[in-house]
Amino acid sequence: RKEVEQDPGPFNVPEGATVAFNCTYSNSASQSFFWYRQDCRKEPKLLMSVYSSGNEDGRFTAQLNRASQYISLLIRDSKLSDSATYLCVVKGGTDSWGKLQFGAGTQVVVTP
Amino acid sequence: DTAVSQTPKYLVTQMGNDKSIKCEQNLGHDTMYWYKQDSKKFLKIMFSYNNKELIINETVPNRFSPKSPDKAHLNLHINSLELGDSAVYFCASSQELRTEDNLYNEQFFGPGTRLTVL
């Protein structure tokens, strides 16, 4: 079983619509969580960290459910520029020395 | 002002050859990483160095040997290249301190090196 699992998509979203997707993680000792964004043939870049109480950054809202071990990302008012692969990322405890576990990514395609 | 740079960007080579990829970061970070992203887009950590010391070595064949001459550089040398080594290799860096503050440190990635083994 993979440590971080995501629905690969693609999620085809009309411009202006809302899209949401989850990922699940297997290591209950995981301590920090992130969404990274990767454009085609580019490097991953941090989109946002995910905090226990949930957090929002503009049109993006992230939620964490530790009991069920899943993380979600919601994108409101989708823009064409939101088309990308969204990587769910989990980090272990303070002894993990920055070791990140990546999901395989959820592809989002925003259409005009 | 490239934060994390890698060379070369593309590398096409024959099976059995030896090749190196170089990485440099100008962010002053103390930790650097090598990741491999295969054809299924799965990004997996290979190595991590903190202040030139190997911290993470994830079941990578001995043909892969990282070298960190200083904390701003982490190179990857690959011996006897195989077809299965074809992938995109990303270098990354972050500031990792042994405190609770390192839980949300951002990792910055280089642009990647696309390796094709023929």
Side-chain angles (χ1 to χ4, degrees):
Chain A
R1 183 186 170 190
K2 292 195 177 76
E3 297 215 25
V4 181
E5 299 217 45
Q6 295 182 246
D7 182 341
F11 284 68
N12 293 299
V13 187
E15 199 175 0
T18 296
V19 62
F21 42 88
N22 298 336
C23 91
T24 57
Y25 60 95
S26 61
N27 185 354
S28 59
S30 301
Q31 293 204 5
S32 44
F33 310 90
F34 309 87
W35 284 103
Y36 273 69
R37 170 192 169 130
Q38 187 172 25
D39 294 310
C40 188
R41 300 178 81 86
K42 297 284 190 183
E43 71 273 20
K45 290 183 180 174
L46 179 65
L47 176 69
M48 59 194 299
S49 302
V50 186
Y51 303 116
S52 295
S53 53
N55 49 297
E56 197 173 295
D57 184 358
R59 297 179 295 106
F60 298 84
T61 301
Q63 296 282 350
L64 168 64
N65 185 319
R66 283 189 185 270
S68 302
Q69 294 183 206
Y70 78 81
I71 306 143
S72 65
L73 181 67
L74 182 145
I75 308 174
R76 281 188 307 276
D77 187 23
S78 297
K79 312 288 184 197
L80 295 176
S81 57
D82 295 333
S83 296
T85 296
Y86 291 85
L87 305 171
C88 177
V89 185
V90 172
K91 183 175 174 181
T94 50
D95 284 342
S96 64
W97 277 104
K99 179 179 171 182
L100 300 181
Q101 299 282 2
F102 282 79
T106 296
Q107 187 183 8
V108 172
V109 179
V110 182
T111 55
Chain B
D1 279 1
T2 307
V4 183
S5 58
Q6 295 178 229
T7 53
K9 193 166 182 181
Y10 298 96
L11 189 50
V12 181
T13 188
Q14 299 285 335
M15 222 166 38
N17 283 351
D18 304 338
K19 289 293 177 187
S20 291
I21 309 172
K22 294 186 175 182
C23 178
E24 176 180 359
Q25 54 96 4
N26 63 6
L27 297 166
H29 288 162
D30 63 0
T31 306
M32 296 184 72
Y33 312 83
W34 277 111
Y35 288 87
K36 178 181 179 180
Q37 189 168 41
D38 60 25
S39 56
K40 294 180 181 173
K41 308 299 183 190
F42 200 55
L43 197 66
K44 194 168 168 57
I45 191 165
M46 300 172 69
F47 301 102
S48 168
Y49 271 73
N50 175 264
N51 283 324
K52 303 192 297 175
E53 181 185 343
L54 180 66
I55 299 297
I56 296 171
N57 183 344
E58 289 284 300
T59 320
V60 179
N62 291 338
R63 299 183 295 104
F64 290 79
S65 50
K67 280 191 172 51
S68 182
D70 56 62
K71 73 175 194 176
H73 296 84
L74 180 62
N75 304 324
L76 183 65
H77 187 77
I78 316 170
N79 289 327
S80 304
L81 278 155
E82 299 178 356
L83 294 177
D85 297 333
S86 295
V88 181
Y89 292 84
F90 287 101
C91 177
S93 75
S94 66
Q95 182 63 27
E96 296 292 321
L97 303 171
R98 274 201 177 269
T99 68
E100 290 182 8
D101 294 332
N102 73 353
L103 287 179
Y104 288 97
N105 290 354
E106 180 177 354
Q107 285 190 18
F108 292 81
F109 284 77
T113 296
R114 187 170 296 272
L115 171 65
T116 303
V117 182
L118 303 174

